Amino acid sequence: MLKLINNENMACILHIETSTEVCSTAISQDGACLYFEENKEGPAHAQLLSSFVQETLSFADSHAIPLDAVAVSCGPGSYTGLRIGVSMAKGVCYGRNVPLIALPTLQVMCVPTLLRNEDLPDDALLCPMIDARRMEVYSCFYNRALREVRPTSADIIDADSYKELLDQHPVFFFGNGADKCKAVLQHPNAHFIANVVPQAKAMFPLAEQRFLRQQFEDTAYFEPFYLKEFVATQSKNPLR
C-alpha cells in the first residue's frame, strides 16, 4: 500500500507533468501539495507550461519557500509533451541550482488510484495505460506497494491480452488507454477505473521518497523515456 512520507525536514519540490494532453504543475512540501495548476483542454504545453511554471515558482517565492528539487514525469507518453516537460525541468534545475528527479508516468498514475480506492483487494494489480494510437497502449503492472510486476511495454490489445495475469489476480485498468480497451478485455478479473490522468499534484509522494534517498538524475544528460522512437509524418499537400 502506498505510504506518504511525513518528515519535518521534507523538501520543497516543483512538479511538472506534460506526458499526455493534460498540462500541470505543482509545489509540494512536508508531504502536502501546496499549489496546483492544470489545463485539460488539449495538448497546448508549449504555450501553457512556461506560465504555469512561473506562477508555481512565484507562489513558492512569495511564501519564502526555497526550492530544493524539480520532479518531472518522464514517460512514456507524448513525444512532444515529454520533450517540452523535461526541457523546462532542466531549465529550472540549472536556473535554481537544484537537482532533477524523474518519475515514471505510469507509476505516477497509480498514486491517485490507490488513494481513492483504499478497498482494493490485497492481491490486486494496477495497470495504468496511456493511449498509443489504434489498439496500442503503453502499460505497466504494479502491485499495491507500487512494485513493478511486469515492466513497461507497448502492447497491442486483443481479447487474450494479459490473460496469464488476469487468471491469477484482479487487475484494475485505468488511464486514457484503458478507455478503448474496456470493450475488448472481457475477463472476469478485469476491472476499470475511470477519470485517471497523469497529474503534477499526484507526483509528490514518489518525488519526496526519491529526494530523501538522493535518487537524482544527471541533469545534463537525462532524456525522457519515450519507449518508441518518434516517427514524423509528412504532409500529403506538396505546398506545405
Side-chain angles (χ1 to χ4, degrees):
M1 185 173 180
L2 181 69
K3 294 183 179 179
L4 305 183
I5 296 176
N6 189 7
N7 186 305
E8 62 181 5
N9 297 316
M10 189 67 68
C12 171
I13 302 176
L14 167 68
H15 308 274
I16 296 174
E17 216 309 318
T18 56
S19 62
T20 64
E21 69 277 5
V22 180
C23 180
S24 61
T25 59
I27 282 282
S28 72
Q29 187 182 45
D30 296 337
C33 180
L34 304 181
Y35 182 89
F36 177 57
E37 191 96 33
E38 180 180 68
N39 181 283
K40 292 183 177 181
E41 296 178 0
H45 307 334
Q47 292 77 35
L48 295 174
L49 185 59
S50 179
S51 61
F52 277 15
V53 168
Q54 184 177 355
E55 291 163 8
T56 307
L57 289 174
S58 293
F59 172 86
D61 294 341
S62 66
H63 289 78
I65 304 172
L67 187 69
D68 295 299
V70 178
V72 65
S73 179
C74 65
S78 159
Y79 182 95
T80 301
L82 291 171
R83 181 169 52 81
I84 291 170
V86 168
S87 296
M88 178 62 71
K90 286 185 175 187
V92 177
C93 287
Y94 283 125
R96 298 275 178 139
N97 193 28
V98 295
L100 176 67
I101 298 170
L103 300 175
T105 302
L106 295 173
Q107 191 177 44
V108 169
M109 293 169 65
C110 292
V111 173
T113 304
L114 286 171
L115 295 178
R116 297 171 193 165
N117 300 274
E118 297 182 357
D119 57 346
L120 295 181
D122 291 341
D123 63 339
L125 297 182
L126 306 177
C127 182
M129 289 178 159
I130 292 177
D131 190 352
R133 298 183 181 179
R134 299 186 178 88
M135 284 309 293
E136 189 172 21
V137 297
Y138 302 131
S139 69
C140 188
F141 285 78
Y142 297 93
N143 63 18
R144 290 191 61 192
L146 290 189
R147 293 189 179 91
E148 196 175 272
V149 174
R150 196 219 64 174
T152 300
S153 66
D155 303 324
I156 298 175
I157 304 300
D158 59 33
D160 294 322
S161 295
Y162 315 128
K163 186 177 185 304
E164 183 176 348
L165 289 171
L166 284 164
D167 284 344
Q168 300 175 39
H169 301 271
V171 179
F172 291 81
F173 299 94
F174 48 91
N176 62 6
D179 295 340
K180 67 182 183 182
C181 297
K182 191 171 183 180
V184 179
L185 296 174
Q186 295 291 314
H187 194 287
N189 269 342
H191 308 278
F192 293 84
I193 300 174
N195 302 319
V196 178
V197 297
Q199 292 178 297
K201 67 181 180 181
M203 295 169 62
F204 77 86
L206 301 175
E208 291 177 348
Q209 288 177 350
R210 294 200 179 207
F211 184 88
L212 291 177
R213 296 168 185 163
Q214 301 289 285
Q215 293 178 293
F216 303 132
E217 305 298 331
D218 185 320
T219 303
Y221 294 101
F222 178 76
E223 292 290 335
F225 178 40
Y226 294 119
L227 190 58
K228 295 197 302 183
E229 292 295 326
F230 175 68
V231 178
T233 57
Q234 186 173 3
S235 173
K236 295 180 180 179
N237 187 340
L239 298 180
R240 293 183 178 178

